[in-house]
Amino acid sequence: MGTRFELVLDGQDATRLRAAGEEAIEAIEDAHRRLSRFKRGSIISEINAAAGSDPVYVDDELLDLLGRCERYRVQTGGAFDIVFRAAGGAGEAGSEPICTNRRPILDIDTRRVALPDPCQYIDLGGVAKGFALDLAAESLRETGVERALLHGGTSTIVAIGGPWRIGLPFGDPPGARVTLENLALSVSSQHGDRPGHVLDPRTGKIADGAHAAACLARSAEQTDAWATALVVLGCLPESAPPGLTAVLGSADRGTLPSEQRWTVEGPHAGAVAIGSTHGADR
Amino acid sequence: MTEIDRREFVVQTAGALAAVALVPKLGLGSFTLAEPMRVGVIGLGRQGRAIIAELSGIEGVTITSICDTDERRLKSGSRRARGAATTADAAAIFDDPSIDAVCIATPTHLHRALVEQALAAGKHVYCEAPIAHTIEDCRAIVRAARDASTVFQPGLFARSDPVYRLARTFYRSDAVRDLVSMSAAHSKKTSWRTPASDPARAAALNWRLDPDVSTGLAGEWGTHQFDVFHWYLDRFPVAVTGRGSIRLHDDGRTIADTIACMIEFEDGAVLDYQATLANSYGGTWELLRGTNAAIRLEWTHGWLFKEADAPTQGWEVYANRQQFHNDEGITLIAGATKLAEQGKLKEGVGLPHSPLRYALADFLKSAAEGSPPPTTAADALRATAVGIIADRAVREQTTIAIEPAMLDA
């Protein structure tokens, strides 16, 4: 997933918290191994390698994830998508829009996935961090962790317990704080390290709906997908599911002031902090 | 996914699926079984869930039942195998005549009873390695496998791994020549603790830290790696010296989090084995140094490092190479000749699937076709026994002679 994940776990028993954190990190690493299109041996690279050819058999967890991604695509009117088409031909990542009449095929009954066009590929980059963080948060909750803050690349955050107060580097006024308690938050922006990296999947061009967007919901996977879509759309459409809150930055394409950064205030300083970096495989 | 979502997809995709069926096959047929197999998975920790994911990638496999005594793990397993029945009692799987095969990924000390019951019930059995926590239990498993009419395959991945198979052909050719020395390591910074909200469950889940049933790092990781050397050399150790201590996880445990073993073979060759839970550098690897070349293996990857005076072989001109500081490794690629013909040699670096997939595919093929598995119970007895003896040498900080009879059934 090309990013660093960090967990801050609040509690008394450091040994138990570390073990809980390790299991949560393992869930994230497992998601990375399975979902990264850059990782040879991942199920996504297997599907991409078979594009235009045989369907690939997958497990139900992945099938469900791909199904939910299709639901996000429909809800966002195509502003979020996981299927791309290589610009220069099969196996080469690019930015051209996909042929919308050639969708990936999910055969629920036989657990098969196929990409009809050999130039197509799946990239779960817009949703994998959230998916992994949801799994990690579930693991932590089930092992009795009552207060924790998890993030992937600082763009998606999950709060267990709380309240955790997060300062956004944009909004009206900029620097507005949101309070997270058992909620997830994702931000997406055209700025930062890679200006213009958010593309409109429908046109293949740089998205210009909003210069930045934040999204709050129960599921980090959902906020991850919608934050990207909101940068494309510029507003929360009526088709958005209930329980989703959006904070949008203006369409002004100016640079964010460098002094405006995330700020985090929690109930306590974390007892245990643990991290894992993914990115060496790209 | 909700039922509504699932229905939407079936409707949405029915036409397109027919179109894809006309496209020629890509060559993933090696994961297609001659006969459909119905499989149960027992033990749903990390390895059990990985087994479910890999089984799901094999055409012809239906995971019909999954089993664990931990409710949380059952739920997690169900996410990957939604249609499978869930049970906390493995007997429910053994008593189901429709189930052909079982995969066992429980704590090591529970393997023996489950393997014996499964084989007695007429199931094909894949059992994770180490196959047991005592040599006596290993021998009992070998006897049960010998008496069974079904297939038993231990989970020693290397013998099914295409990279390891290819590297072994080089090792046994003149490319490496005479063995100089061997090294192997497993490094991962982790506490080896499993969290549990219920303290009573914590004791059961943390069996690897229980000195009565744990085989330590030498058993849990070393077993897999020792088997590589047994297989390559076709010889077995005669003595092991162990050292171990707690370098990081000083939390009341007595099982060493860092170990070093010197494993000696009859002709004086030595395997230097190190494992730690206190540092992750290097991961898991094996190295064989010969007078003509060294082979380094890292599960999904392998390299050949030639000596300057080693004879040249024709294929090297076209080989893919990788620089490691001052050394240049020739990448060992399964099916390299074919890939080179297609101009796709570089794309072949690293396995396209997890080593576990190849091991499970071998097991199910053997079960479906009635052919012998690539790894036998006797292979697992020898590797596990060396792991158990090495663990004892670590605990006692001593040298233990390994008599051939200790590795026999």
Side-chain angles (χ1 to χ4, degrees):
Chain A
M1 287 176 268
T3 194
R4 179 168 175 83
F5 289 80
E6 291 177 324
L7 323 178
V8 176
L9 313 180
D10 187 27
Q12 300 300 317
D13 184 345
T15 301
R16 189 169 144 265
L17 285 177
R18 182 176 176 92
E22 285 174 354
E23 191 159 285
I25 289 286
E26 177 54 39
I28 292 167
E29 289 179 344
D30 188 44
H32 172 68
R33 278 191 295 269
R34 282 161 51 76
L35 304 183
S36 171
R37 76 180 176 93
F38 301 104
K39 190 142 190 92
R40 192 161 161 81
S42 80
I43 186 68
I44 294 300
S45 63
E46 188 178 342
I47 293 168
N48 289 345
S53 182
D54 287 351
V56 171
Y57 287 79
V58 304
D59 60 272
D60 286 319
E61 187 177 54
L62 181 70
L63 205 59
D64 286 350
L65 172 60
L66 297 178
R68 291 194 300 275
C69 287
E70 178 64 7
R71 190 169 64 195
Y72 300 142
R73 185 187 74 87
V74 172
Q75 287 173 340
T76 61
F80 169 85
D81 205 346
I82 58 167
V83 183
F84 299 86
R85 192 171 187 282
E92 185 184 328
S95 58
E96 285 188 6
I98 61 162
C99 304
T100 51
N101 60 340
R102 305 198 79 189
R103 298 302 304 160
I105 297 153
L106 307 182
D107 185 343
I108 304 296
D109 293 331
T110 60
R111 296 189 335 269
R112 288 185 299 173
V113 178
L115 291 168
D117 181 339
C119 295
Q120 285 181 318
Y121 64 94
I122 290 176
D123 186 336
L124 291 172
V127 78
K129 271 189 291 189
F131 171 78
L133 285 169
D134 279 341
L135 288 178
E138 181 185 341
S139 169
L140 290 172
R141 287 192 185 98
E142 288 180 348
T143 51
V145 174
E146 294 174 348
R147 273 194 302 274
L149 195 70
L150 299 65
H151 81 81
T154 70
S155 62
T156 295
I157 294 179
V158 178
I160 296 176
W164 298 85
R165 288 168 61 76
I166 313 291
L168 294 177
F170 59 89
D172 188 18
R177 280 179 160 70
V178 294
T179 301
L180 294 187
E181 186 160 358
N182 295 316
L183 271 181
L185 165 70
S186 291
V187 293
S188 187
S189 166
Q190 284 294 25
H191 304 285
D193 294 340
R194 288 185 293 157
H197 75 285
V198 179
L199 302 173
D200 184 338
R202 300 165 299 186
T203 63
K205 295 178 178 165
I206 294 172
D208 58 1
H211 87 265
C215 184
L216 288 90
R218 292 283 170 198
S219 152
E221 176 193 300
Q222 198 177 34
T223 59
D224 205 1
W226 272 94
T228 309
L230 286 167
V231 169
V232 175
L233 294 170
C235 64
L236 196 63
E238 287 183 5
S239 56
L244 208 67
T245 305
V247 179
L248 292 162
S250 75
D252 171 16
R253 303 186 60 77
T255 307
L256 288 172
S258 59
E259 69 273 15
Q260 289 186 357
R261 298 289 184 203
W262 288 96
T263 58
V264 177
E265 297 168 14
H268 300 285
V272 169
I274 186 168
S276 174
T277 302
H278 299 290
D281 58 308
R282 288 189 73 151
Chain B
M1 192 186 297
T2 65
E3 283 305 312
I4 291 170
D5 295 328
R6 295 180 63 188
R7 278 202 300 275
E8 279 174 359
F9 267 108
V10 173
V11 171
Q12 205 165 35
T13 64
L17 189 65
V20 164
L22 301 174
V23 178
K25 282 185 174 283
L26 186 72
L28 300 175
S30 59
F31 294 121
T32 302
L33 298 176
E35 297 287 333
M37 299 288 288
R38 293 168 62 84
V39 183
V41 179
I42 302 170
L44 302 174
R46 188 182 55 171
Q47 191 63 11
R49 291 195 297 277
I51 286 173
I52 291 175
E54 296 304 335
L55 285 174
S56 301
I58 301 173
E59 185 177 353
V61 174
T62 304
I63 301 169
T64 57
S65 299
I66 56 176
C67 171
D68 202 292
T69 54
D70 187 273
E71 188 63 35
R72 193 164 70 90
R73 291 185 167 186
L74 262 182
K75 186 175 130 197
S76 183
S78 284
R79 253 200 310 250
R80 291 192 179 175
R82 192 176 30 234
T86 59
T87 178
D89 183 5
I93 292 179
F94 303 147
D95 293 343
D96 182 345
S98 74
I99 294 176
D100 304 301
V102 297
C103 296
I104 297 172
T106 62
T108 303
H109 61 286
L110 304 178
H111 287 173
R112 175 185 172 174
L114 292 168
V115 169
E116 287 177 333
Q117 290 167 46
L119 290 172
K123 311 298 182 196
H124 303 287
V125 177
Y126 176 92
C127 178
E128 274 305 325
I131 55 168
H133 73 302
T134 67
I135 296 176
E136 186 46 46
D137 278 8
C138 293
R139 290 186 176 125
I141 287 173
V142 172
R143 287 195 295 273
R146 197 180 284 156
D147 295 343
S149 57
T150 48
V151 168
F152 174 85
Q153 184 179 313
L156 294 165
F157 305 158
R159 299 188 191 228
S160 295
D161 184 322
V163 168
Y164 280 60
R165 285 179 172 169
L166 176 67
R168 185 169 177 264
T169 64
F170 284 111
Y171 175 74
R172 295 173 83 87
S173 76
D174 210 33
V176 173
R177 198 137 189 178
D178 301 322
L179 182 65
V180 174
S181 67
M182 297 164 281
S183 317
H186 168 75
S187 305
K188 176 151 175 133
K189 189 174 182 179
T190 173
S191 69
W192 247 17
R193 280 196 184 279
T194 304
S197 51
D198 171 10
R201 288 291 302 156
L205 291 172
N206 284 293
W207 56 275
R208 285 180 300 187
L209 300 179
D210 178 352
D212 291 337
V213 295
S214 177
T215 59
L217 275 163
E220 288 301 319
W221 274 103
T223 294
H224 291 272
Q225 300 183 275
F226 301 154
D227 182 60
V228 175
F229 298 98
H230 293 177
W231 181 42
Y232 274 46
L233 273 61
D234 205 17
R235 285 182 284 142
F236 308 99
V238 294
V240 54
T241 301
R243 294 289 184 271
S245 58
I246 292 169
R247 312 304 303 172
L248 173 65
H249 303 290
D250 191 10
D251 54 9
R253 72 182 63 189
T254 57
I255 301 288
D257 68 14
T258 302
I259 66 165
C261 299
M262 188 176 76
I263 298 168
E264 298 171 67
F265 288 75
E266 200 165 27
D267 62 354
V270 170
L271 164 61
D272 167 44
Y273 184 70
Q274 300 205 21
T276 183
L277 302 174
N279 181 280
S280 303
Y281 176 72
T284 304
W285 53 266
E286 298 87 34
L287 177 68
L288 298 103
R289 294 172 195 270
T291 50
N292 273 351
I295 289 177
R296 184 179 171 97
L297 299 162
E298 293 193 19
W299 297 97
T300 54
H301 291 70
W303 300 269
L304 183 75
F305 297 88
K306 290 192 65 178
E307 289 296 320
D309 62 352
T312 303
Q313 299 174 23
W315 56 268
E316 292 162 346
V317 179
Y318 308 102
N320 184 271
R321 294 163 193 273
Q322 197 173 333
Q323 197 69 29
F324 294 82
H325 191 45
N326 288 330
D327 295 301
E328 187 179 71
I330 295 173
T331 316
L332 298 176
I333 300 172
T337 307
K338 199 171 178 182
L339 287 167
E341 284 169 4
Q342 298 168 348
K344 294 181 175 177
L345 194 56
K346 204 169 180 183
E347 293 172 30
V349 176
L351 286 180
H353 305 285
S354 137
L356 178 60
R357 173 85 65 90
Y358 296 98
L360 290 168
D362 274 352
F363 163 62
L364 292 170
K365 272 185 184 174
S366 294
E369 297 166 7
S371 55
T375 317
T376 67
D379 297 327
L381 159 64
R382 288 187 282 265
T384 306
V386 172
I388 291 168
I389 295 165
D391 177 54
R392 207 172 84 215
V394 168
R395 292 187 198 209
E396 297 171 6
Q397 311 273 310
T398 191
T399 299
I400 300 175
I402 303 176
E403 304 297 334
M406 294 164 83
L407 307 183
D408 284 344

